[in-house]
Amino acid sequence: YDRMVLIFMKFALKKSLCILLSALLSASLFAACSQDTDESSSADESSSSQVVETMVKIQIPASFFEGSSLEEIEKTAKKQGATSVTQEKNGDICYQMTATAHRRLVTEMRMNLKDSVEELLDDERYPSIHQISVSDDFSTLTLTVDKEAYQKGNDRTITRAIWPSIQLYHYFNQDYEEHPSMMVKVLNKEDNSK
């Protein structure tokens, strides 16, 4: 039984990561790249000059990319707005992108995560869950459940399905150290007690 749960958790983890990365890739394909420019003019001369935009470096642990080649990662990253992708000695992947591209990517990730969490409510694999919500900073997941069914079933694996995507969001948002874990509140649907 424990081995079966472990296999299911590993499958759910990989599946949720693939879904998130696919959603991010799809969303980024529709985002237009923008470039900030500053036009200045004077009575004697008229010129336009580009404002140099701040670059953001993001380091993502290698474990998020198991089974992917650097070329595949780089191709996806470029579509997400990365200007360069490198692999560290420890296997971690470093993205570099403009601050504008970074803000756009994090905003897309945030919206996709919120949607993904809401969609889990309709997922047949979690029948005991009646309501689900995540805090604005993605640090707390609140589940309202049929307590008896929740305790007897495998619905507790929902946190393992969500957590990798939230971790990835925190790495890209550069606040992982502030949110190295997620609190899960499980409330009984009958009386909202824990």
Side-chain angles (χ1 to χ4, degrees):
Y1 177 74
D2 287 339
R3 180 163 167 66
M4 192 163 120
V5 169
L6 184 60
I7 291 170
F8 174 76
M9 290 180 341
K10 190 173 183 180
F11 173 77
L13 173 76
K14 285 186 179 185
K15 184 177 179 182
S16 65
L17 182 58
C18 288
I19 290 170
L20 174 68
L21 291 175
S22 296
L24 289 174
L25 175 59
S26 298
S28 67
L29 287 174
F30 295 107
C33 293
S34 66
Q35 192 171 21
D36 294 339
T37 61
D38 176 40
E39 294 187 54
S40 59
S41 61
S42 65
D44 295 318
E45 80 180 56
S46 176
S47 67
S48 103
S49 61
Q50 263 188 336
V51 175
V52 176
E53 189 167 5
T54 305
M55 296 301 287
V56 177
K57 183 179 178 182
I58 304 151
Q59 187 167 337
I60 310 294
S63 60
F64 284 98
F65 302 101
E66 287 179 11
S68 298
S69 70
L70 184 57
E71 292 78 26
E72 293 170 324
I73 296 166
E74 191 170 42
K75 184 177 176 183
T76 302
K78 297 278 184 178
K79 289 177 183 177
Q80 294 171 332
T83 55
S84 71
V85 178
T86 57
Q87 189 167 25
E88 301 291 307
K89 288 180 183 176
N90 66 357
D92 289 357
I93 302 295
C94 288
Y95 287 68
Q96 259 199 307
M97 58 181 55
T98 63
T100 300
H102 179 252
R103 283 189 300 275
R104 185 177 52 249
L105 178 62
V106 169
T107 299
E108 290 169 5
M109 289 179 81
R110 179 178 199 72
M111 290 186 315
N112 289 336
L113 263 175
K114 291 265 186 191
D115 291 345
S116 296
V117 168
E118 289 173 12
E119 288 170 6
L120 285 171
L121 191 57
D122 297 327
D123 194 321
E124 294 175 1
R125 293 177 294 171
Y126 310 110
S128 72
I129 298 172
H130 294 273
Q131 282 185 311
I132 185 170
S133 64
V134 65
S135 62
D136 285 337
D137 65 356
F138 294 104
S139 65
T140 305
L141 177 70
T142 303
L143 306 171
T144 303
V145 303
D146 174 331
K147 194 170 187 175
E148 187 176 325
Y150 181 79
Q151 289 175 337
K152 289 181 180 177
N154 287 323
D155 292 4
R156 290 172 281 181
T157 62
I158 195 169
T159 56
R160 290 184 179 95
I162 294 171
W163 179 237
S165 300
I166 290 176
Q167 273 183 307
L168 191 60
Y169 166 80
H170 286 303
Y171 278 111
F172 273 100
N173 198 38
Q174 299 183 315
D175 65 353
Y176 182 77
E177 290 184 16
E178 297 169 31
H179 303 287
S181 62
M182 178 177 64
M183 179 172 45
V184 179
K185 291 182 183 178
V186 179
L187 304 175
N188 186 352
K189 74 172 184 159
E190 301 300 321
D191 57 7
N192 280 342
S193 65
K194 293 183 180 182

